[in-house]
Coordinates of all heavy atoms in Angstrom, one line a residue:
M28 N 0.9 -1.2 0.0 CA 0.0 0.0 0.0 C 0.9 1.2 0.0 O 1.9 1.3 0.6 CB -0.9 0.0 1.2 CG -1.9 1.1 1.3 SD -2.9 1.1 2.8 CE -4.2 0.0 2.3
R29 N 0.4 2.3 -0.8 CA 1.2 3.6 -0.7 C 0.7 4.4 0.5 O -0.4 4.8 0.6 CB 0.8 4.4 -1.9 CG 1.8 4.2 -3.1 CD 1.6 5.2 -4.3 NE 0.2 5.6 -4.4 CZ -0.7 4.9 -5.1 NH1 -0.4 3.8 -5.7 NH2 -1.9 5.5 -5.2
I30 N 1.7 4.6 1.4 CA 1.3 5.2 2.7 C 2.2 6.5 2.9 O 3.4 6.4 2.7 CB 1.6 4.2 3.9 CG1 0.8 3.0 3.8 CG2 1.2 5.0 5.2 CD1 1.0 2.0 4.9
A31 N 1.6 7.6 3.2 CA 2.3 8.8 3.5 C 2.3 9.0 5.0 O 1.2 8.9 5.6 CB 1.7 10.0 2.8
I32 N 3.5 9.1 5.6 CA 3.4 9.4 7.1 C 3.8 10.8 7.3 O 4.9 11.3 7.0 CB 4.5 8.4 7.8 CG1 4.0 7.0 7.5 CG2 4.5 8.7 9.3 CD1 4.7 6.0 8.4
V33 N 2.8 11.5 7.9 CA 3.1 12.9 8.2 C 3.5 13.2 9.6 O 3.0 12.4 10.5 CB 1.7 13.7 8.0 CG1 1.8 15.2 8.4 CG2 1.2 13.6 6.6
G34 N 4.5 13.9 9.9 CA 5.1 14.1 11.1 C 6.2 12.9 11.3 O 6.3 12.4 12.5
A35 N 6.8 12.5 10.3 CA 7.7 11.3 10.2 C 8.9 11.5 11.1 O 9.5 10.4 11.4 CB 8.0 10.9 8.8
N36 N 9.3 12.7 11.4 CA 10.6 12.7 12.3 C 10.2 12.9 13.7 O 11.1 13.1 14.5 CB 11.5 13.8 11.7 CG 10.9 15.2 11.8 OD1 9.7 15.3 11.9 ND2 11.8 16.2 11.7
G37 N 9.0 12.8 14.2 CA 8.6 12.8 15.5 C 8.9 11.4 16.1 O 9.3 10.5 15.4
Q38 N 8.7 11.4 17.4 CA 8.9 10.1 18.1 C 8.2 8.9 17.5 O 8.7 7.9 17.2 CB 8.6 10.3 19.6 CG 9.0 9.1 20.5 CD 8.7 9.3 22.0 OE1 8.3 10.3 22.4 NE2 8.9 8.2 22.8
L39 N 6.8 9.1 17.5 CA 6.0 8.0 17.0 C 6.1 7.8 15.4 O 6.3 6.7 15.0 CB 4.5 8.4 17.3 CG 3.6 7.2 17.4 CD1 4.0 6.3 18.5 CD2 2.1 7.7 17.6
G40 N 6.2 8.9 14.7 CA 6.4 8.9 13.3 C 7.7 8.1 13.0 O 7.7 7.2 12.0
N41 N 8.7 8.4 13.6 CA 10.1 7.7 13.4 C 9.9 6.2 13.7 O 10.5 5.4 12.9 CB 11.0 8.4 14.4 CG 12.4 8.2 14.0 OD1 12.7 8.2 12.7 ND2 13.3 8.0 14.9
D42 N 9.3 5.8 14.7 CA 9.1 4.4 14.9 C 8.2 3.8 13.9 O 8.5 2.6 13.5 CB 8.4 4.2 16.4 CG 9.5 4.4 17.5 OD1 10.7 4.5 17.2 OD2 8.9 4.5 18.6
L43 N 7.2 4.4 13.5 CA 6.3 3.9 12.5 C 7.0 3.6 11.2 O 6.8 2.6 10.5 CB 5.1 4.8 12.2 CG 3.9 4.5 13.0 CD1 2.8 5.5 12.7 CD2 3.3 3.1 12.7
V44 N 7.9 4.6 10.8 CA 8.6 4.5 9.6 C 9.5 3.2 9.6 O 9.5 2.4 8.7 CB 9.5 5.7 9.3 CG1 10.5 5.5 8.2 CG2 8.6 6.9 9.0
K45 N 10.2 3.0 10.7 CA 11.0 1.8 10.9 C 10.1 0.5 10.7 O 10.6 -0.4 10.0 CB 11.7 1.8 12.3 CG 12.9 2.8 12.4 CD 13.5 2.6 13.7 CE 14.3 3.8 14.1 NZ 14.4 4.1 15.5
V46 N 9.1 0.4 11.3 CA 8.2 -0.8 11.3 C 7.6 -1.0 10.0 O 7.5 -2.1 9.4 CB 7.1 -0.7 12.4 CG1 6.1 -1.8 12.4 CG2 7.8 -0.8 13.8
L47 N 7.1 0.0 9.3 CA 6.3 -0.1 8.1 C 7.1 -0.1 6.8 O 6.7 -0.6 5.8 CB 5.3 1.0 8.0 CG 4.1 1.0 9.2 CD1 3.2 2.2 8.9 CD2 3.4 -0.3 9.0
R48 N 8.4 0.4 6.9 CA 9.1 0.5 5.6 C 9.3 -0.8 4.9 O 9.2 -0.8 3.7 CB 10.5 1.2 6.0 CG 11.1 1.7 4.6 CD 12.5 2.2 4.9 NE 12.8 3.4 5.5 CZ 12.6 4.6 5.0 NH1 12.3 4.7 3.7 NH2 12.9 5.7 5.7
P49 N 9.6 -1.9 5.6 CA 9.8 -3.2 5.0 C 8.5 -3.7 4.3 O 8.5 -4.6 3.4 CB 10.3 -4.1 6.0 CG 10.6 -3.3 7.1 CD 9.9 -2.0 7.0
L50 N 7.4 -3.2 4.7 CA 6.1 -3.8 4.3 C 5.3 -3.0 3.3 O 4.5 -3.6 2.6 CB 5.2 -4.0 5.6 CG 5.9 -4.7 6.8 CD1 4.9 -4.6 8.1 CD2 6.1 -6.1 6.4
H51 N 5.6 -1.7 3.2 CA 4.8 -0.8 2.3 C 5.6 0.1 1.5 O 6.8 0.3 1.8 CB 3.8 -0.1 3.2 CG 2.7 -0.9 3.9 ND1 1.7 -1.5 3.3 CD2 2.7 -1.3 5.2 CE1 1.0 -2.2 4.2 NE2 1.6 -2.2 5.3
D52 N 5.0 0.7 0.5 CA 5.5 1.8 -0.2 C 5.4 3.1 0.6 O 4.3 3.7 0.5 CB 4.8 1.9 -1.6 CG 5.4 3.0 -2.5 OD1 6.3 3.7 -2.0 OD2 4.7 3.1 -3.6
L53 N 6.4 3.5 1.3 CA 6.3 4.4 2.3 C 6.9 5.8 1.9 O 7.9 5.8 1.3 CB 7.1 4.0 3.6 CG 6.5 4.2 4.9 CD1 5.1 3.6 5.0 CD2 7.4 3.8 6.0
T54 N 6.2 6.9 2.2 CA 6.7 8.2 2.0 C 6.7 8.9 3.4 O 5.7 9.4 3.8 CB 5.8 9.0 1.0 OG1 5.7 8.3 -0.2 CG2 6.5 10.4 0.7
P55 N 7.9 8.9 4.0 CA 8.0 9.7 5.3 C 8.0 11.2 5.0 O 8.9 11.7 4.2 CB 9.3 9.2 5.9 CG 9.8 8.2 5.0 CD 9.2 8.4 3.7
L56 N 7.2 12.0 5.7 CA 7.1 13.5 5.4 C 7.3 14.3 6.7 O 6.7 14.0 7.7 CB 5.8 13.8 4.8 CG 5.4 13.1 3.5 CD1 3.9 13.2 3.2 CD2 6.2 13.7 2.4
T57 N 8.3 15.1 6.6 CA 8.5 16.0 7.8 C 7.8 17.3 7.7 O 7.1 17.5 6.7 CB 10.1 16.3 7.9 OG1 10.4 17.2 6.8 CG2 10.9 15.1 7.9
R58 N 7.9 18.2 8.7 CA 7.2 19.4 8.6 C 7.7 20.3 7.4 O 7.0 21.1 6.8 CB 7.5 20.2 9.9 CG 6.5 21.4 10.0 CD 7.1 22.4 11.0 NE 7.3 22.0 12.3 CZ 6.8 22.6 13.3 NH1 6.1 23.8 13.1 NH2 7.0 22.2 14.6
A59 N 8.9 20.0 7.0 CA 9.5 20.8 5.9 C 8.8 20.3 4.5 O 8.7 21.0 3.6 CB 11.0 20.5 5.8
D60 N 8.3 19.0 4.5 CA 7.6 18.5 3.3 C 6.2 18.9 3.3 O 5.6 19.1 2.2 CB 7.8 17.0 3.3 CG 9.2 16.5 3.4 OD1 10.0 17.0 2.5 OD2 9.5 15.6 4.2
V61 N 5.5 18.9 4.4 CA 4.1 19.2 4.5 C 3.8 19.8 5.8 O 4.2 19.4 6.9 CB 3.2 17.9 4.2 CG1 3.4 16.8 5.2 CG2 1.8 18.3 4.0
Q62 N 3.0 20.9 5.7 CA 2.5 21.6 6.9 C 1.0 21.3 7.0 O 0.2 21.7 6.1 CB 2.6 23.2 6.6 CG 4.0 23.7 6.9 CD 4.2 24.0 8.4 OE1 3.2 23.8 9.2 NE2 5.4 24.2 8.8
V63 N 0.6 20.7 8.1 CA -0.8 20.3 8.2 C -1.7 21.5 8.5 O -2.9 21.4 8.3 CB -1.0 19.2 9.4 CG1 -0.3 18.0 9.1 CG2 -0.6 19.8 10.7
T64 N -1.1 22.7 8.7 CA -1.9 23.8 8.9 C -2.2 24.5 7.6 O -2.9 25.5 7.6 CB -1.1 24.9 9.9 OG1 0.2 25.0 9.3 CG2 -1.1 24.3 11.3
S65 N -1.6 24.0 6.5 CA -1.8 24.7 5.3 C -2.5 23.8 4.2 O -2.0 22.8 3.8 CB -0.4 25.0 4.7 OG -0.5 25.2 3.3
P66 N -3.8 24.1 3.8 CA -4.5 23.3 2.8 C -3.7 23.2 1.6 O -3.6 22.1 0.9 CB -5.8 24.1 2.6 CG -5.9 24.9 3.9 CD -4.6 25.2 4.4
E67 N -3.0 24.3 1.1 CA -2.2 24.2 -0.1 C -1.1 23.2 0.0 O -0.9 22.5 -1.0 CB -1.6 25.6 -0.4 CG -2.7 26.7 -0.8 CD -3.4 27.3 0.5 OE1 -2.9 27.0 1.6 OE2 -4.4 28.0 0.3
S68 N -0.5 23.3 1.1 CA 0.7 22.2 1.3 C 0.2 20.9 1.4 O 0.8 20.0 0.7 CB 1.4 22.7 2.7 OG 2.3 21.6 3.0
V69 N -0.9 20.6 2.0 CA -1.5 19.3 2.1 C -2.0 18.8 0.6 O -1.7 17.7 0.3 CB -2.7 19.1 3.1 CG1 -3.5 17.9 2.9 CG2 -2.3 19.4 4.5
E70 N -2.6 19.7 -0.1 CA -3.1 19.4 -1.4 C -1.9 19.0 -2.3 O -1.9 18.1 -3.1 CB -4.0 20.4 -2.0 CG -5.4 20.3 -1.4 CD -6.3 21.6 -1.6 OE1 -5.9 22.4 -2.6 OE2 -7.2 21.8 -0.9
A71 N -0.9 19.8 -2.2 CA 0.3 19.5 -3.1 C 1.0 18.2 -2.8 O 1.3 17.5 -3.6 CB 1.4 20.7 -2.8
M72 N 1.0 17.9 -1.4 CA 1.5 16.6 -1.0 C 0.7 15.4 -1.5 O 1.2 14.4 -2.1 CB 1.6 16.6 0.5 CG 2.0 15.2 1.1 SD 0.8 14.0 1.3 CE -0.2 14.6 2.7
L73 N -0.6 15.6 -1.6 CA -1.5 14.5 -2.0 C -1.3 14.4 -3.5 O -1.4 13.2 -4.0 CB -3.0 14.8 -1.6 CG -3.2 14.8 -0.1 CD1 -4.7 15.3 0.1 CD2 -3.1 13.4 0.4
R74 N -1.2 15.5 -4.2 CA -1.1 15.5 -5.7 C 0.2 14.8 -6.0 O 0.3 13.9 -6.9 CB -1.1 16.9 -6.2 CG -2.4 17.3 -6.9 CD -2.2 18.5 -7.8 NE -1.3 19.5 -7.3 CZ -1.7 20.5 -6.4 NH1 -2.9 20.5 -6.0 NH2 -0.8 21.4 -6.1
T75 N 1.3 15.1 -5.3 CA 2.6 14.6 -5.6 C 2.7 13.1 -5.3 O 3.2 12.3 -6.1 CB 3.7 15.4 -4.8 OG1 3.6 16.7 -5.2 CG2 5.1 14.8 -5.1
H76 N 2.2 12.8 -4.1 CA 2.5 11.3 -3.7 C 1.3 10.4 -3.9 O 1.5 9.1 -3.8 CB 3.0 11.3 -2.2 CG 4.2 12.2 -2.0 ND1 5.4 11.7 -2.4 CD2 4.4 13.3 -1.4 CE1 6.4 12.7 -2.1 NE2 5.8 13.6 -1.4
Q77 N 0.2 10.9 -4.1 CA -1.0 10.0 -4.4 C -1.2 8.8 -3.3 O -1.2 7.7 -3.7 CB -0.9 9.5 -5.8 CG -0.8 10.5 -6.9 CD -2.1 11.0 -7.4 OE1 -3.0 10.2 -7.6 NE2 -2.2 12.3 -7.5
P78 N -1.1 9.1 -2.1 CA -1.1 8.0 -1.1 C -2.5 7.4 -1.0 O -3.5 8.1 -1.2 CB -0.8 8.7 0.3 CG -1.2 10.1 0.1 CD -1.0 10.5 -1.4
E79 N -2.5 6.1 -0.8 CA -3.8 5.4 -0.5 C -4.2 5.6 0.9 O -5.4 5.5 1.3 CB -3.6 3.9 -0.8 CG -3.3 3.7 -2.3 CD -2.8 2.2 -2.5 OE1 -1.6 2.0 -2.3 OE2 -3.6 1.4 -3.0
L80 N -3.2 5.8 1.9 CA -3.4 6.0 3.2 C -2.5 7.1 3.8 O -1.3 7.1 3.4 CB -3.1 4.7 4.0 CG -3.2 4.7 5.5 CD1 -4.6 5.0 6.0 CD2 -2.7 3.4 6.1
V81 N -3.0 8.0 4.5 CA -2.2 8.9 5.2 C -2.3 8.7 6.7 O -3.3 8.6 7.3 CB -2.8 10.5 4.9 CG1 -2.0 11.4 5.7 CG2 -2.7 10.8 3.5
M82 N -1.1 8.5 7.3 CA -1.0 8.4 8.7 C -0.4 9.7 9.3 O 0.6 10.1 9.0 CB -0.1 7.2 9.1 CG -0.6 5.9 8.5 SD 0.3 4.5 8.9 CE -0.3 4.1 10.6
N83 N -1.3 10.3 10.1 CA -0.9 11.6 10.8 C -0.3 11.5 12.1 O -1.0 11.1 13.1 CB -2.2 12.5 10.8 CG -1.9 13.8 11.4 OD1 -0.8 14.4 11.2 ND2 -2.8 14.4 12.2
M84 N 1.0 11.8 12.2 CA 1.7 11.8 13.5 C 2.1 13.2 13.9 O 2.9 13.3 14.7 CB 2.9 10.8 13.3 CG 2.6 9.4 13.0 SD 1.5 8.6 14.2 CE 0.3 8.0 13.1
A85 N 1.7 14.2 13.1 CA 2.0 15.5 13.4 C 1.2 16.0 14.6 O 0.0 15.7 14.8 CB 1.6 16.4 12.2
A86 N 1.9 16.7 15.5 CA 1.2 17.0 16.8 C 1.9 18.3 17.5 O 3.1 18.4 17.2 CB 1.2 15.9 17.7
F87 N 1.2 19.0 18.1 CA 1.7 20.1 19.0 C 1.2 19.6 20.4 O 0.1 19.8 20.8 CB 1.0 21.5 18.7 CG 1.6 22.6 19.5 CD1 1.8 23.8 18.7 CD2 1.9 22.6 20.8 CE1 2.3 24.9 19.4 CE2 2.3 23.6 21.4 CZ 2.5 24.8 20.8
H88 N 2.1 18.9 21.1 CA 1.5 18.1 22.3 C 2.3 18.3 23.5 O 2.3 17.5 24.4 CB 1.3 16.7 21.9 CG 2.5 15.8 21.9 ND1 2.8 14.8 22.8 CD2 3.6 16.0 21.2 CE1 3.9 14.3 22.5 NE2 4.5 14.9 21.5
K89 N 3.0 19.5 23.6 CA 3.7 19.9 24.9 C 2.5 20.4 25.7 O 2.1 21.6 25.5 CB 4.8 20.8 24.7 CG 6.0 20.2 24.0 CD 7.1 21.2 23.7 CE 8.1 20.6 22.8 NZ 8.6 21.5 21.8
V90 N 2.0 19.6 26.6 CA 0.7 20.0 27.3 C 0.7 21.4 28.0 O -0.1 22.2 27.9 CB 0.3 18.9 28.4 CG1 -1.0 19.3 29.1 CG2 0.2 17.6 27.6
D91 N 1.9 21.6 28.7 CA 2.0 22.9 29.5 C 2.0 24.1 28.4 O 1.3 25.1 28.7 CB 3.2 23.0 30.3 CG 4.5 22.5 29.6 OD1 4.3 21.7 28.6 OD2 5.6 22.8 30.1
V92 N 2.6 23.9 27.3 CA 2.8 25.0 26.3 C 1.4 25.1 25.6 O 0.9 26.3 25.4 CB 3.9 24.7 25.3 CG1 3.9 25.8 24.3 CG2 5.2 24.5 26.0
C93 N 0.7 24.0 25.3 CA -0.6 24.1 24.7 C -1.6 25.0 25.5 O -2.4 25.7 24.9 CB -1.2 22.7 24.6 SG -0.5 21.6 23.3
E94 N -1.5 24.9 26.8 CA -2.4 25.7 27.7 C -2.3 27.2 27.5 O -3.1 27.9 27.6 CB -2.3 25.3 29.1 CG -2.9 23.9 29.3 CD -2.8 23.5 30.9 OE1 -2.2 24.3 31.6 OE2 -3.1 22.3 31.1
D95 N -1.0 27.6 27.2 CA -0.7 29.1 26.9 C -0.8 29.4 25.5 O -1.1 30.5 25.2 CB 0.7 29.3 27.5 CG 0.8 29.3 29.0 OD1 -0.3 29.5 29.6 OD2 1.9 28.9 29.5
E96 N -0.6 28.4 24.6 CA -0.6 28.8 23.2 C -1.7 28.0 22.5 O -1.5 27.0 21.8 CB 0.8 28.4 22.5 CG 1.9 29.2 23.2 CD 3.3 29.0 22.6 OE1 3.3 28.5 21.4 OE2 4.3 29.2 23.2
V97 N -3.0 28.3 22.9 CA -4.1 27.6 22.4 C -4.3 27.6 21.0 O -4.5 26.5 20.3 CB -5.4 28.1 23.2 CG1 -6.6 27.5 22.7 CG2 -5.2 28.0 24.6
E98 N -4.1 28.7 20.3 CA -4.3 28.8 18.9 C -3.4 27.9 18.0 O -3.8 27.2 17.2 CB -4.3 30.3 18.4 CG -5.6 30.9 18.7 CD -5.6 32.4 18.1 OE1 -5.0 32.6 17.1 OE2 -6.4 33.1 18.7
P99 N -2.1 28.0 18.3 CA -1.2 27.1 17.5 C -1.5 25.6 17.8 O -1.4 24.8 16.9 CB 0.2 27.5 18.0 CG 0.1 28.8 18.7 CD -1.4 29.0 19.1
A100 N -1.8 25.3 19.1 CA -2.1 24.0 19.4 C -3.3 23.5 18.6 O -3.3 22.3 18.1 CB -2.4 23.8 20.9
F101 N -4.4 24.3 18.6 CA -5.6 23.9 17.8 C -5.3 23.8 16.3 O -5.8 23.0 15.6 CB -6.8 24.9 18.1 CG -7.7 24.4 19.1 CD1 -7.4 24.5 20.4 CD2 -8.9 23.8 18.8 CE1 -8.3 24.1 21.4 CE2 -9.8 23.2 19.7 CZ -9.5 23.4 21.1
A102 N -4.4 24.7 15.9 CA -4.1 24.7 14.4 C -3.5 23.4 13.9 O -3.8 23.0 12.9 CB -3.2 25.9 14.1
V103 N -2.7 22.8 14.8 CA -2.1 21.5 14.4 C -3.0 20.3 14.8 O -3.4 19.5 14.0 CB -0.7 21.4 15.0 CG1 -0.1 20.0 14.7 CG2 0.2 22.4 14.6
N104 N -3.4 20.3 16.1 CA -4.1 19.1 16.6 C -5.5 19.0 16.2 O -6.0 17.8 16.2 CB -4.0 19.2 18.1 CG -2.6 19.2 18.7 OD1 -1.7 18.7 18.0 ND2 -2.4 19.7 19.9
A105 N -6.2 20.0 15.9 CA -7.6 19.9 15.5 C -7.8 20.3 14.1 O -8.2 19.5 13.2 CB -8.4 20.9 16.4
Y106 N -7.5 21.6 13.7 CA -7.7 22.0 12.3 C -6.8 21.3 11.4 O -7.2 21.1 10.2 CB -7.6 23.6 12.3 CG -8.6 24.2 13.2 CD1 -8.1 25.3 13.9 CD2 -9.9 23.8 13.2 CE1 -8.9 25.9 14.9 CE2 -10.8 24.5 14.1 CZ -10.3 25.5 15.0 OH -11.2 26.1 15.9
G107 N -5.6 20.9 11.8 CA -4.6 20.2 11.0 C -5.2 18.9 10.5 O -5.0 18.5 9.4
V108 N -5.9 18.2 11.4 CA -6.5 16.9 11.1 C -7.6 17.2 10.0 O -7.7 16.4 9.0 CB -7.1 16.2 12.3 CG1 -7.8 15.0 12.0 CG2 -6.0 16.0 13.3
R109 N -8.4 18.2 10.3 CA -9.5 18.5 9.3 C -8.9 18.8 7.9 O -9.4 18.4 6.8 CB -10.3 19.7 9.8 CG -11.4 20.1 8.8 CD -12.1 21.4 9.2 NE -11.3 22.5 9.3 CZ -11.6 23.8 9.6 NH1 -12.8 23.9 10.2 NH2 -10.8 24.7 9.6
T110 N -7.7 19.6 7.9 CA -7.2 19.9 6.7 C -6.7 18.7 5.9 O -6.7 18.6 4.7 CB -5.9 20.9 6.9 OG1 -6.5 22.0 7.6 CG2 -5.3 21.3 5.7
L111 N -6.2 17.7 6.7 CA -5.7 16.5 6.0 C -6.9 15.7 5.5 O -6.8 15.0 4.5 CB -4.9 15.6 7.0 CG -3.5 16.0 7.3 CD1 -2.9 15.2 8.4 CD2 -2.6 15.7 6.0
A112 N -7.9 15.7 6.2 CA -9.1 14.8 5.8 C -10.0 15.5 4.8 O -10.7 14.7 4.0 CB -10.0 14.6 7.1
W113 N -9.9 16.7 4.6 CA -10.8 17.5 3.7 C -10.7 17.2 2.3 O -11.7 17.0 1.5 CB -10.6 19.0 4.0 CG -11.8 19.8 3.5 CD1 -11.8 20.5 2.4 CD2 -13.1 19.9 4.2 NE1 -13.1 21.1 2.2 CE2 -13.9 20.8 3.3 CE3 -13.6 19.5 5.3 CZ2 -15.1 21.2 3.6 CZ3 -14.9 19.8 5.7 CH2 -15.7 20.7 4.8
P114 N -9.5 17.2 1.7 CA -9.4 17.2 0.2 C -10.1 15.9 -0.4 O -9.9 14.9 0.1 CB -7.8 17.1 -0.1 CG -7.3 17.6 1.2 CD -8.2 17.2 2.3
A115 N -10.8 16.2 -1.5 CA -11.4 15.2 -2.3 C -10.3 14.2 -2.7 O -9.2 14.5 -3.1 CB -12.2 15.7 -3.5
G116 N -10.6 12.9 -2.8 CA -9.7 11.9 -3.2 C -8.9 11.2 -2.2 O -8.3 10.2 -2.4
L117 N -8.9 11.8 -1.0 CA -8.2 11.2 0.1 C -9.1 10.1 0.6 O -10.1 10.3 1.1 CB -7.8 12.2 1.2 CG -7.2 11.5 2.4 CD1 -6.0 10.8 2.2 CD2 -6.9 12.7 3.5
T118 N -8.6 8.9 0.4 CA -9.5 7.8 0.8 C -9.5 7.4 2.3 O -10.5 7.1 2.9 CB -9.2 6.5 -0.1 OG1 -7.9 6.3 0.0 CG2 -9.6 6.7 -1.5
R119 N -8.3 7.4 2.8 CA -8.2 6.9 4.2 C -7.2 7.8 5.1 O -6.1 8.1 4.6 CB -7.7 5.5 4.3 CG -8.7 4.5 3.9 CD -8.2 3.1 3.9 NE -8.2 2.5 2.6 CZ -7.8 1.3 2.3 NH1 -7.4 0.5 3.3 NH2 -7.8 0.9 1.1
L120 N -7.5 8.1 6.3 CA -6.7 8.9 7.1 C -6.7 8.3 8.5 O -7.7 7.9 9.0 CB -7.3 10.4 7.3 CG -6.5 11.3 8.3 CD1 -5.1 11.6 7.9 CD2 -7.3 12.6 8.5
C121 N -5.4 8.1 9.0 CA -5.3 7.5 10.3 C -4.6 8.4 11.2 O -3.6 9.1 10.8 CB -4.5 6.2 10.1 SG -3.7 5.6 11.6
C122 N -5.1 8.8 12.4 CA -4.5 9.8 13.3 C -4.2 9.0 14.6 O -4.9 8.2 15.0 CB -5.4 10.9 13.5 SG -5.7 11.8 12.1
C123 N -3.1 9.6 15.3 CA -2.9 9.1 16.6 C -3.1 10.2 17.6 O -2.6 11.3 17.4 CB -1.4 8.7 16.6 SG -1.0 7.7 18.1
I124 N -3.8 10.0 18.6 CA -4.1 11.0 19.6 C -3.7 10.6 21.0 O -3.6 9.4 21.3 CB -5.5 11.5 19.5 CG1 -6.5 10.2 19.7 CG2 -5.9 12.3 18.4 CD1 -7.9 10.6 19.8
Ligands
NAP15 N1 5.2 9.2 21.7 C1 4.3 8.3 22.1 O1 4.6 7.4 22.9 C2 2.8 8.4 21.8 C3 1.9 7.5 22.3 C4 0.6 7.6 22.0 C5 0.1 8.7 21.2 N2 1.0 9.6 20.7 C6 0.4 10.7 20.0 O2 1.1 10.7 18.7 C7 1.2 12.0 18.2 C8 2.7 12.3 18.0 O3 3.4 12.1 19.2 P1 5.1 12.2 19.2 O4 5.4 11.8 20.6 O5 5.6 11.4 18.0 O6 5.3 13.8 19.0 P2 6.6 14.5 18.5 O7 7.8 13.7 18.8 O8 6.5 15.9 19.1 O9 6.3 14.6 17.0 C9 5.3 15.5 16.4 C10 5.7 15.7 15.0 O10 4.8 16.6 14.4 C11 5.5 17.6 13.6 N3 4.7 18.8 13.4 C12 4.4 19.8 14.3 N4 3.7 20.7 13.7 C13 3.5 20.4 12.5 C14 2.9 20.9 11.3 N5 2.3 22.2 11.5 N6 2.9 20.3 10.1 C15 3.5 19.2 10.0 N7 4.2 18.5 11.0 C16 4.2 19.1 12.2 C17 6.8 17.9 14.4 O11 7.7 18.4 13.4 P3 9.1 19.1 14.0 O12 9.9 18.0 14.5 O13 9.5 19.8 12.7 O14 8.6 20.1 15.0 C18 7.1 16.4 14.8 O15 7.9 15.7 13.9 C19 0.6 12.9 19.3 O16 -0.8 13.1 19.0 C20 0.6 12.1 20.6 O17 -0.3 12.5 21.5 C21 2.3 9.6 21.1

């Protein structure tokens, strides 16, 4: 399966890449490759890589910082997921929370 892993250089993303790489056609994507806060960036990534499954490991999850920086936290953790899920043609999205 063609799988795009978003947030691939995070702790969980990094582990998933190691486990899934031998089994699937994997595209690990860092924040430099795709910004989940940007619909244009997400659409460009989907056009380029045409994944059958997107696994979202992108997160803003330093809990103490999230409490003070609510907008950036929501931008990644809530609206970022919507931005990944929204584009037509995306068949499957898996998120880790
Ligand atoms: N680690 C665990 O044991 C564990 C267990 C269960 C669930 N989870 C959940 O899994 C998710 C990831 O956790 P983690 O521990 O792997 O976190 P992490 O190490 O902080 O990784 C998060 C990744 O998200 C990327 N990111 C942040 N903002 C982004 C944006 N706007 N666009 C694209 N990428 C962005 C970061 O990129 P930069 O490196 O460039 O900042 C980083 O690579 C969280 O939802 C967490 O709650 C984690």
Side-chain angles (χ1 to χ4, degrees):
M28 181 180 276
R29 269 192 324 280
I30 303 177
I32 299 196
V33 177
N36 62 344
Q38 187 180 352
L39 205 60
N41 201 36
D42 284 349
L43 265 178
V44 170
K45 285 185 199 146
V46 171
L47 295 179
R48 199 191 282 283
L50 307 172
H51 295 282
D52 176 0
L53 219 62
T54 304
L56 300 164
T57 69
R58 193 204 295 235
D60 301 312
V61 61
Q62 278 279 350
V63 300
T64 50
S65 160
E67 294 78 13
S68 171
V69 168
E70 282 165 20
M72 177 275 285
L73 293 173
R74 261 198 316 277
T75 302
H76 299 291
Q77 306 271 317
E79 296 163 281
L80 171 68
V81 174
M82 299 184 83
N83 178 36
M84 302 301 132
F87 185 140
H88 75 117
K89 291 175 190 137
V90 179
D91 47 339
V92 181
C93 285
E94 287 180 2
D95 293 329
E96 298 183 22
V97 174
E98 279 187 28
F101 264 80
V103 177
N104 298 336
Y106 304 130
V108 177
R109 181 184 64 185
T110 301
L111 279 171
W113 197 260
L117 174 56
T118 50
R119 286 180 245 184
L120 172 67
C121 159
C122 293
C123 193
I124 49 175

